[in-house]
């Protein structure tokens, strides 16, 4: 079997070989740098540019716990689709700066800071490469999980900056298991009050802890032992990437951001495709469906189908799944971008 399928995306059975050859060579072409985000926090990013200028630009917004080093295969795939690649490490994760003494705690002071960082990244790093002969070719954007929530809020605040968006397993709601949504949110609010009253340090939410490698048999992210193994190996070899569970503050800010998202859906005018992992056990699929239905009602052109594209049986991390789930997701994203290419 070839290393890539007919759509040009890498295949799982050749991935170990590819990592040490083609992907490694590709990665050496990248430019790796940082900029100052909100409160002068150092935000890391990577850029991969084609030698010719007349290329499409793709911004990648990773999910929680992730950084650009985890996305080597995905960056390689999209670069081979003809895109210049721009990928950001959100504050508090990846190689970007963290603000707490305990680096493992998933924390953000204000969810809006994620959005403001992304806006700075797109305006100062991405857009200069989208100017072709004095004409701006607006970039496309691809996002996963928490990165999808950040991008959706960004599209509300900056409605005319992105050509088209694809959101994979976006974090539009949390999977609280058997606990009703209202009860779960009440628990978060009570925990926040308790944390505020008893300590100046952000607490982990109940059951959350420092980074611990997840065995394949217990993971809820992917059916691919190979891709999960590469992820675990990367984080073992690069401890700076490791991130543990979420703090009460992170949950509080995320819930507030999602409330804002759903209250201002009419501000999203960018053509947006939501790709849903059918067997997702991390985020709430019902919230993704509600997002699409409600967006279609207020902005039909932004979400013409009125429903997510469901990859049946897939776990949360569609971009790191088995090929039978990953390839359809990537192919759908490529078709969406092609469909919304300016004449």
């Amino acid at each position: 079997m070839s290393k890539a399928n007919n759509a040009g995306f890498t295949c799982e059975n050749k991935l170990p070989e590819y990592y040490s050859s083609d992907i490694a060579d590709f990665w050496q072409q990248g430019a790796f740098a940082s900029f100052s985000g909100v409160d002068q926090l150092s935000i890391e990013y990577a850029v991969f540019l084609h030698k010719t200028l007349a290329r499409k630009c793709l911004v990648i917004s990773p999910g929680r716990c992730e950084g650009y080093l985890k996305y080597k295969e995905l960056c390689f795939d999209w670069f081979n689709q003809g895109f210049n690649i721009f990928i950001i490490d959100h504050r508090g994760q990846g190689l970007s700066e963290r603000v707490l003494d305990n680096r493992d705690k998933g924390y953000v002071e204000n969810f809006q800071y994620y959005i403001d960082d992304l806006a700075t990244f797109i305006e100062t790093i991405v857009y200069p490469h989208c100017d072709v002969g004095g004409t701006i070719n607006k970039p496309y954007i691809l996002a996963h999980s928490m990165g999808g929530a950040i991008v959706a809020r960004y599209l509300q605040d900056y409605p005319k900056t992105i050509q088209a968006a694809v959101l994979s397993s976006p974090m539009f709601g949390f999977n609280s298991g058997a606990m009703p949504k209202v009860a779960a949110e009440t628990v978060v609010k009570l925990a926040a009050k308790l944390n505020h009253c008893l300590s100046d340090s952000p607490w982990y939410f109940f059951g959350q802890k420092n980074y611990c490698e997840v065995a394949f048999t217990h993971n809820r992210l992917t059916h691919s032992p190979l891709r999960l193994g590469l992820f675990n190996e990367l984080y073992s070899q690069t401890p700076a990437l490791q991130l543990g569970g979420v703090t009460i503050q992170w949950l509080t800010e995320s819930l507030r951001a999602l409330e804002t998202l759903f209250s201002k859906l009419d501000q999203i005018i960018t053509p947006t495709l939501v790709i849903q992992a059918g067997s997702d056990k991390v985020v709430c699929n019902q919230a993704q469906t509600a997002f699409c239905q409600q967006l279609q009602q207020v902005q039909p052109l932004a979400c013409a189908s009125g429903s997510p594209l469901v990859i049946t049986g897939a776990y949360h991390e569609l971009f790191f799944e088995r090929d039978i789930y990953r390839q359809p997701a990537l192919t759908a994203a490529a078709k969406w971008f092609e469909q919304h290419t300016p004449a």
Side-chain angles (χ1 to χ4, degrees), residues 152-210:
R153 282 287 297 110
Y154 170 84
L155 295 177
Q156 291 176 317
D157 290 356
Y158 301 88
K160 297 182 180 180
T161 58
I162 300 298
Q163 186 66 32
V166 173
L167 312 180
S168 162
S169 307
M171 187 190 77
F172 291 158
F174 297 100
N175 190 335
S176 57
M179 182 179 291
K181 176 185 175 182
V182 174
E185 292 180 355
T186 300
V187 170
V188 174
K189 292 177 181 178
L190 291 174
K193 290 181 179 179
L194 190 63
N195 188 171
H196 179 75
C197 291
L198 298 181
S199 176
D200 293 330
S201 176
W203 291 351
Y204 274 125
F205 188 64
F206 307 123
Q208 303 289 296
K209 58 183 180 180
N210 286 351

Side-chain angles (χ1 to χ4, degrees), residues 190-332:
L190 291 174
K193 290 181 179 179
L194 190 63
N195 188 171
H196 179 75
C197 291
L198 298 181
S199 176
D200 293 330
S201 176
W203 291 351
Y204 274 125
F205 188 64
F206 307 123
Q208 303 289 296
K209 58 183 180 180
N210 286 351
Y211 173 80
C212 180
E213 183 175 306
V214 179
F216 176 75
T217 52
H218 297 102
N219 100 92
R220 303 182 300 169
L221 302 176
T222 175
H223 291 89
S224 172
L226 172 61
R227 288 189 170 110
L228 182 66
L230 289 170
F231 166 70
N232 284 336
E233 182 181 2
L234 171 65
Y235 277 51
S236 175
Q237 294 177 349
T238 316
L241 297 174
Q242 295 175 5
L243 186 66
V246 300
T247 57
I248 298 168
Q249 173 69 13
W250 184 89
L251 270 175
T252 301
E253 283 299 312
S254 296
L255 289 170
R256 184 177 294 124
L258 295 180
E259 183 178 349
T260 301
L261 171 66
F262 278 90
S263 68
K264 299 180 179 181
L265 280 181
D266 61 324
Q267 295 180 6
I268 298 179
I269 61 175
T270 303
T272 302
L273 172 66
V274 173
I275 307 181
Q276 183 178 103
S279 295
D280 202 324
K281 299 179 181 179
V282 177
V283 297
C284 178
N285 280 354
Q286 290 83 355
Q288 295 169 10
T289 301
F291 171 87
C292 293
Q293 291 174 342
Q294 294 175 32
L295 180 57
Q296 198 274 338
Q297 292 174 3
V298 295
Q299 291 288 0
L301 296 180
C303 189
S305 68
S307 61
L309 170 65
V310 180
I311 307 298
T312 304
Y315 280 172
H316 182 64
E317 297 213 355
L318 286 167
F319 299 146
F320 300 90
E321 256 288 13
R322 294 281 307 279
D323 289 347
I324 58 172
Y325 306 119
R326 183 179 188 265
Q327 304 291 3
L330 292 177
T331 300

